[in-house]
């Protein structure tokens, strides 16, 4: 057997896929040819590595996770900027800067203390986003970011402290007395948390509170008021 | 013979370098699309349910973003770095679950299947990713011989290819795999 012939057999040889006679001929050649033995050594460890990959198929990356990562980064950047500006604003003159809408009121439904702040990092000319804290019983709470969009509001909602997992479905509603518009539904994860991006046809100004109710029994679980 | 699709590590390192400053999100999207799938596969295999796996993968990319300044391309490839973050996030999740009795009974498939460690699983997923980078023809040869246990002759019968082609293709497939693994910083012992 020539070296060229042996090289072409090496793949089948390391994978144990040659006939016995071929295998023997290759083994004999390798024992006496350092160059081919070196080629063999380069790939001899591969079958052991491949064993670890047996049955593994790379799945598609979930698109929703990509969006959640980007949303969370945007959120953290916003919070960081907001904190920076607040620190600057609080330095020598307390009245400096755009007056922020900040109010703590007693929420009617659950005795909720609610704060709504206009995020001041929005570029000029664009309507501001609002952040709203929602409170509920049993330690449940949520943070909502409301951004006016085409024909309604985009609601980013970070929820924690709800009963973990399960089949419970929660609905987010934008409301004022006698009027209600749904922003959609969500479920919680195994730790009672959720992060969702919902859209409602309700425009900022048309509603004065956000409530989260459990379906289908309509139990109120979270509530927060815009001022 | 077509070259395997090895991706220069320097390009990935540049992506990570851009990650924190890039307000467009393009660097994060690119990084996620390169590695999100395999990290999700690795995590799903380790924790056993899609919801937790998605949460962990989200956490992995957020940690990568927050700590991108501490990434040192001289110490590890981006893939290795991301897998380490994922490994730590999985361990954190298991610890949290262990202190909550309701969830501690939930054995993960990786543990249930004879104690395969996270390290072995990380290696397996990286090898699976390397296989994905080969040409379909090369991947087919390796799969048939290694995973289905077919001989060169049986593969020739099965595919209708000449025996000589099957043998040389398998040889080139393994050489390509070795190259891709070297690119990824994974080397056979």
């Amino acid at each position: 057997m020539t070296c060229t012939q042996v090289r072409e057999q090496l793949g089948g040889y390391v994978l144990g896929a040659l006939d016995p006679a071929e295998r023997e001929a290759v083994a004999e050649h390798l024992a006496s040819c350092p160059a081919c033995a070196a080629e063999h050594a380069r790939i001899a460890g591969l079958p052991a590595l491949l064993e670890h990959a047996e049955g593994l198929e790379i799945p598609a990356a979930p698109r929703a996770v990509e969006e959640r990562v980007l949303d969370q980064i945007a959120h953290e950047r916003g919070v960081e900027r907001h904190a920076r500006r607040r620190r600057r604003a609080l330095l020598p003159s307390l009245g400096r800067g755009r007056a922020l809408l900040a109010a703590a009121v007693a929420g009617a439904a659950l005795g909720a203390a609610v704060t709504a702040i206009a995020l001041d990092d929005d570029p000029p000319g664009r309507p501001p986003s609002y952040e709203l804290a929602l409170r509920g019983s049993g330690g449940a709470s949520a943070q909502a970011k409301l951004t006016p969009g085409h024909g309604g509001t985009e609601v980013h909602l970070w929820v924690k402290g709800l009963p973990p997992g399960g089949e419970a479905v929660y609905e987010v509603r934008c409301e004022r007395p006698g009027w209600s518009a749904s922003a959609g539904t969500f479920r919680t994860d195994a730790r009672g948390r959720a992060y969702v991006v919902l859209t409602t046809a309700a425009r900022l100004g048309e509603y004065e509170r956000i409530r989260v109710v459990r379906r289908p029994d309509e139990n109120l679980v979270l509530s927060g008021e815009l001022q | 013979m077509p070259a395997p699709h090895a991706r220069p590590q320097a390009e990935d390192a540049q992506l990570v370098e851009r990650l924190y400053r890039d307000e467009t999100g393009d660097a994060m999207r690119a990084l996620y699309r390169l590695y999100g799938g395999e990290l999700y596969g690795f995590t799903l295999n380790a924790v056993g349910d899609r919801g937790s796996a998605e949460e962990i993968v989200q956490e992995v990319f957020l940690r990568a973003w927050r700590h991108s300044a501490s990434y040192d391309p001289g110490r590890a490839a981006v893939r290795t770095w991301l897998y380490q973050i994922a490994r730590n996030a999985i361990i954190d999740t298991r610890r949290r679950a262990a202190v909550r009795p309701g969830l501690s009974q939930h054995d993960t498939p990786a543990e249930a299947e004879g104690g395969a460690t996270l390290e072995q699983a990380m290696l397996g997923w990286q090898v699976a990713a390397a296989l994905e980078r080969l040409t379909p023809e090369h991947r087919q040869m390796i799969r048939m011989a290694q995973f289905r246990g077919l001989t060169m002759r049986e593969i020739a019968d099965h595919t209708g290819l000449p025996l000589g082609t099957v043998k040389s293709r398998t040889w080139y497939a393994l050489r390509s795999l070795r190259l891709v693994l070297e690119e990824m910083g994974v080397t056979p012992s």
Side-chain angles (χ1 to χ4, degrees):
Chain A
M1 249 186 175
T2 65
C3 287
T4 310
Q5 286 170 326
V6 168
R7 301 277 166 103
E8 300 222 325
Q9 304 262 35
L10 279 181
Y13 181 75
V14 301
L15 294 175
L18 295 183
D19 296 340
E22 291 172 324
R23 189 167 61 238
E24 209 170 302
V26 172
E28 252 175 53
H29 182 93
L30 290 180
S32 61
C33 175
C36 287
E39 280 296 322
H40 170 250
R42 280 179 56 77
I43 59 167
L46 291 176
L49 273 185
L50 282 164
E51 274 177 25
H52 293 293
E54 185 159 6
L56 302 183
E57 294 279 343
I58 309 273
R63 290 299 297 271
V65 175
E66 179 180 326
E67 295 308 319
R68 292 205 295 257
V69 168
L70 291 167
D71 280 344
Q72 183 64 25
I73 288 173
H75 175 71
E76 288 184 24
R77 278 193 206 281
V79 169
E80 194 182 297
R81 273 194 205 123
H82 183 65
R84 250 196 329 262
R85 286 181 196 193
R86 279 187 69 166
R87 279 197 296 275
R88 275 206 306 272
L90 286 170
L91 278 171
S93 60
L94 282 169
R96 199 177 75 121
R98 180 147 55 110
L100 298 182
L101 183 60
V105 299
L110 296 160
V114 176
T115 308
I117 346 163
L119 295 177
D120 62 350
D121 59 347
D122 294 291
R126 277 183 56 189
S129 295
Y130 287 87
E131 282 211 348
L132 173 71
L134 288 83
R135 299 269 182 269
S137 55
S141 65
Q143 197 70 23
K145 182 183 170 194
L146 311 173
T147 312
H150 292 292
T153 313
E154 190 176 80
V155 182
H156 290 238
L157 192 70
W158 292 264
V159 182
K160 60 182 180 184
L162 286 174
E167 284 307 298
V169 173
Y170 300 93
E171 183 176 6
V172 181
R173 291 179 182 166
C174 301
E175 298 179 334
R176 66 172 188 264
W179 188 88
S180 175
S182 176
T185 56
F186 67 91
R187 290 178 207 270
T188 57
D189 65 17
R191 286 191 270 160
R193 302 192 313 183
Y195 167 61
V196 285
V197 181
L198 305 167
T199 306
T200 172
R203 295 186 178 91
L204 275 172
E206 287 183 330
Y207 54 93
E208 47 194 59
R209 67 182 180 202
I210 292 188
R211 300 199 312 150
V212 177
V213 298
R214 193 172 62 216
R215 300 283 303 272
D217 55 26
E218 304 281 312
N219 269 355
L220 180 63
V221 293
L222 287 162
S223 174
E225 302 218 359
L226 278 151
Q227 283 289 304
Chain B
M1 216 20 85
H5 304 285
R7 187 184 157 78
Q9 287 182 25
E11 283 181 31
D12 287 0
Q14 281 164 8
L15 265 186
V16 174
E17 198 187 320
R18 278 172 49 210
L19 209 56
Y20 200 81
R21 284 177 290 118
D22 173 37
E23 301 220 4
T24 66
D26 289 346
M28 177 52 85
R29 277 187 198 281
L31 193 71
Y32 182 80
R33 286 172 191 191
L34 278 168
Y35 298 115
E38 57 182 284
L39 289 170
Y40 177 63
F42 166 57
T43 308
L44 180 58
N45 202 241
V47 300
D49 85 273
R50 287 174 189 278
S52 303
E54 286 192 4
E55 250 190 84
I56 290 170
V57 172
Q58 180 180 340
E59 182 60 24
V60 169
F61 282 91
L62 285 172
R63 285 187 194 180
W65 173 71
R66 291 183 195 121
H67 303 296
S68 52
S70 67
Y71 169 67
D72 177 1
R75 287 185 57 194
V78 169
R79 172 183 271 104
T80 313
W81 179 61
L82 290 172
Y83 269 95
Q84 288 296 342
I85 298 175
R87 176 186 167 277
N88 293 341
I90 290 166
I91 291 170
D92 290 347
T93 303
R94 286 180 176 171
R95 281 194 189 129
R96 276 199 302 269
V99 298
R100 285 183 302 162
L103 294 169
S104 63
Q105 299 149 2
H106 178 73
D107 270 351
T108 62
E111 283 165 350
E113 283 167 19
T117 64
L118 278 178
E119 277 70 20
Q120 280 175 330
M122 277 162 63
L123 186 59
W125 282 95
Q126 292 183 78
V127 176
L131 280 173
E132 286 296 312
R133 303 242 173 135
L134 301 185
T135 63
E137 293 79 12
H138 283 173
R139 196 161 51 242
Q140 180 190 35
M141 293 300 120
I142 292 178
R143 287 212 165 126
M144 289 178 115
Q146 170 77 22
F147 299 144
R148 292 177 57 189
L150 300 183
T151 65
M152 297 285 99
R153 210 170 291 282
E154 286 167 336
I155 294 173
D157 289 344
H158 193 82
T159 57
L161 291 167
L163 180 59
T165 304
V166 170
K167 287 178 176 174
S168 60
R169 199 173 274 182
T170 305
W171 159 236
Y172 284 114
L174 288 180
R175 277 170 44 127
S176 295
L177 178 64
R178 165 83 198 204
L179 274 178
V180 174
L181 287 169
E182 278 173 4
E183 276 283 340
M184 288 166 49
V186 179
T187 45
S189 51

